[in-house]
Amino acid sequence: MYLEISNPMDYHVALYIRLSKEDENEGPSESVNNQKSLLEEFVQQHRLSVYDTYVDDGVSGTTFDRPDFKRMVADIEAKKVNMVITKDLSRLGRDYIMTGHYMERYFPEHQVRYISLLDGIDTGVDSTANDITPFRAIMKNTGC
């Protein structure tokens, strides 16, 4: 699914986890613990160093005014973090315009590599999987 991550020691990883009340209806696969296990397994396989884990539990993805998301952004701006990993793109956010802003503008401007595990998105490689157009269609069809 991913190219090998060359120079894993060059990365200081933020694991970002979000769960809203609405997500709980989707079942246990969305739980904070399950997301964390998936992310930790990935970083172990790729020998990455986790700077911190950021968890917004019970916060909607339609806003980016989330305590741990804001803390992660502060760490990015302080150059403590240069890679962000989420379970899927919807964990980053459900507002596709702002999600696109972070993925396509903010992260590149701050030299942050973004990986969404289940969506196959890795901004560190040139791939059509990094196009979030399908995400926009999904969000439109689900009413988000």
Side-chain angles (χ1 to χ4, degrees), residues 15-31:
L15 302 180
Y16 183 72
I17 298 166
R18 184 190 59 76
L19 184 70
S20 68
K21 297 296 182 201
E22 296 82 24
D23 296 324
E24 291 173 349
N25 296 332
E26 295 177 18
S29 67
E30 294 294 322
S31 77

Side-chain angles (χ1 to χ4, degrees), residues 34-57:
N34 288 334
Q35 288 180 59
K36 187 173 183 181
S37 294
L38 179 71
L39 300 178
E40 288 174 345
E41 181 180 329
F42 179 84
V43 298
Q44 286 175 357
Q45 288 174 349
H46 294 277
R47 301 181 324 275
L48 293 163
S49 174
V50 175
Y51 175 76
D52 206 349
T53 301
Y54 305 81
V55 180
D56 283 312
D57 195 356

Side-chain angles (χ1 to χ4, degrees), residues 33 47 53 57 60 79 100-101 127 129 132 138:
N33 288 335
R47 301 181 324 275
T53 301
D57 195 356
S60 173
K79 299 191 184 313
H101 164 75
S127 170
I132 65 169
I138 290 167

Side-chain angles (χ1 to χ4, degrees), residues 18-135:
R18 184 190 59 76
L19 184 70
S20 68
K21 297 296 182 201
E22 296 82 24
D23 296 324
E24 291 173 349
N25 296 332
E26 295 177 18
S29 67
E30 294 294 322
S31 77
V32 167
N33 288 335
N34 288 334
Q35 288 180 59
K36 187 173 183 181
S37 294
L38 179 71
L39 300 178
E40 288 174 345
E41 181 180 329
F42 179 84
V43 298
Q44 286 175 357
Q45 288 174 349
H46 294 277
R47 301 181 324 275
L48 293 163
S49 174
V50 175
Y51 175 76
D52 206 349
T53 301
Y54 305 81
V55 180
D56 283 312
D57 195 356
V59 184
S60 173
T62 60
T63 179
F64 281 84
D65 187 23
R66 301 178 230 142
D68 257 24
F69 185 83
K70 290 176 13 179
R71 186 170 68 85
M72 181 180 73
V73 166
D75 286 345
I76 288 169
E77 293 181 2
K79 299 191 184 313
K80 296 176 182 176
V81 167
N82 63 356
M83 179 185 279
V84 173
I85 305 174
T86 61
K87 173 187 173 232
D88 59 43
L89 198 53
S90 71
R91 300 304 93 204
L92 185 63
R94 290 196 181 266
D95 174 337
Y96 72 87
I97 293 172
M98 284 303 296
T99 300
H101 164 75
Y102 278 98
M103 193 176 122
E104 297 175 14
R105 304 238 22 222
Y106 181 83
F107 291 155
E109 287 172 1
H110 290 84
Q111 293 82 47
V112 172
R113 182 173 178 175
Y114 173 68
I115 296 175
S116 170
L117 295 181
L118 299 186
D119 298 310
I121 294 171
D122 181 348
T123 63
V125 298
D126 191 21
S127 170
T128 57
N130 294 335
D131 181 2
I132 65 169
T133 302
F135 177 68

